[in-house]
Amino acid sequence: MKRMTWAAPITVGVVALLVWIAVTETGVVGQWILPSPRKVGARLVSGLEQGYLVDATVQTLYEALLGCFFAALIGIPLGFAIAHWRTLAASVQPYLAASQAIPAVAIAPMLVIWVGYGTAPIVVLCTIMVVFPIVINTTVGVRSIDPDIIGAARLDGAGSFRLVGMIQLPLAAPNILAGLRNGFTLSITGAVVGEMVIGGRDGLGIVLVGAQALNDISGMFAAIVILAACAIVIYVLLLIAESRANWAVEGRQGRK
């Protein structure tokens, strides 16, 4: 089963790459519309050797990671609170849902006025985009815990803080990690959008804007390839952590 899990996305990726090579190298699609993987790869290697793609990638990941960090600081406690207090859930959840209907492009200019230029407004934008999935997944994870486990812990004398730290947080960890996994891809999107709209410093969004101004389609694709690669790597790492958390939860529940 594990082999099939990994084989499916790898197969899709290989097929997509072969189709890309076929339509570009045979001239079905012009290189000025869709550059070949060979040209994109050459531009990617050149940008990495010159260092500007490395600097841009580090900056964008820094902004995205900071956004995820602050979103987790806000979203996990809020998710626990919503799971425990129905009144708070009824009061807050409609506004959380409404926040997802506001485009990031519409928020970014206002953040410049409120926060200023530079990295700070981009991190705030990433945080806003990531909070919702973390809150929702945390709430679902806490509410899905078997009440018998909570009851047994209370009978053993577990207080509120111990109950959260020793029981609820570990058992809800798979859902929280799922929220982080989905949220991080949104955070990268927020960082790139913020860099393109707000300005930022040396991020991949700046690289995309510069390449667009020069009609450099290969340069744009090189930046997109790096964005996709970063998102896939972090997605897989969080997926592995989520799987291990699931095994730990199953083992804990089995002992109960």
Side-chain angles (χ1 to χ4, degrees):
M1 182 63 67
K2 290 181 181 179
R3 290 184 178 179
M4 291 179 62
T5 301
W6 290 108
I10 291 174
T11 301
V12 171
V14 170
V15 170
L17 180 61
L18 291 175
V19 172
W20 184 6
I21 292 172
V23 299
T24 53
E25 295 291 353
T26 59
V28 175
V29 178
Q31 295 284 340
W32 63 92
I33 298 176
L34 179 65
S36 66
R38 176 172 48 85
K39 285 191 173 182
V40 174
R43 187 56 185 274
L44 184 61
V45 170
S46 173
L48 292 174
E49 288 178 346
Q50 294 175 26
Y52 73 89
L53 282 181
V54 176
D55 294 338
T57 302
V58 170
Q59 179 65 24
T60 298
L61 287 178
Y62 172 72
E63 294 160 352
L65 285 170
L66 271 183
C68 276
F69 173 75
F70 288 119
L73 282 182
I74 298 169
I76 294 174
L78 183 56
F80 269 86
I82 289 174
H84 286 99
W85 292 297
R86 300 287 180 178
T87 302
L88 178 64
S91 303
V92 172
Q93 283 180 321
Y95 297 103
L96 287 173
S99 69
Q100 297 305 293
I102 303 173
V105 176
I107 300 174
M110 292 187 290
L111 291 177
V112 173
I113 298 173
W114 296 336
V115 183
Y117 289 94
T119 301
I122 298 174
V123 172
V124 173
L125 180 63
C126 294
T127 302
I128 293 171
M129 294 181 67
V130 177
V131 159
F132 182 77
I134 293 178
V135 170
I136 296 301
N137 279 271
T138 301
T139 303
V140 171
V142 174
R143 286 179 176 173
S144 64
I145 297 173
D146 189 346
D148 292 337
I149 297 176
I150 303 298
R154 290 190 185 279
L155 287 175
D156 289 338
S160 298
F161 290 105
R162 186 182 173 193
L163 191 64
V164 171
M166 302 298 292
I167 304 295
Q168 292 180 322
L169 186 58
L171 292 180
N175 292 82
I176 295 172
L177 287 169
L180 288 171
R181 173 165 52 87
N182 295 323
F184 189 82
T185 56
L186 291 174
S187 189
I188 291 179
T189 301
V192 173
V193 170
E195 290 164 355
M196 296 177 76
V197 176
I198 297 171
R201 292 177 7 193
D202 299 331
L204 289 171
I206 302 298
V207 173
L208 284 168
V209 170
Q212 181 186 20
L214 297 173
N215 291 323
D216 181 7
I217 190 73
S218 296
M220 295 175 68
F221 266 85
I224 291 171
V225 167
I226 292 178
L227 286 170
C230 290
I232 289 172
V233 169
I234 296 176
Y235 183 92
V236 169
L237 290 175
L238 289 173
L239 187 62
I240 293 171
E242 183 185 337
S243 298
R244 292 187 176 182
N246 274 315
W247 295 336
V249 167
E250 289 172 2
R252 182 186 289 254
Q253 290 177 338
R255 290 193 296 272
K256 295 290 182 183

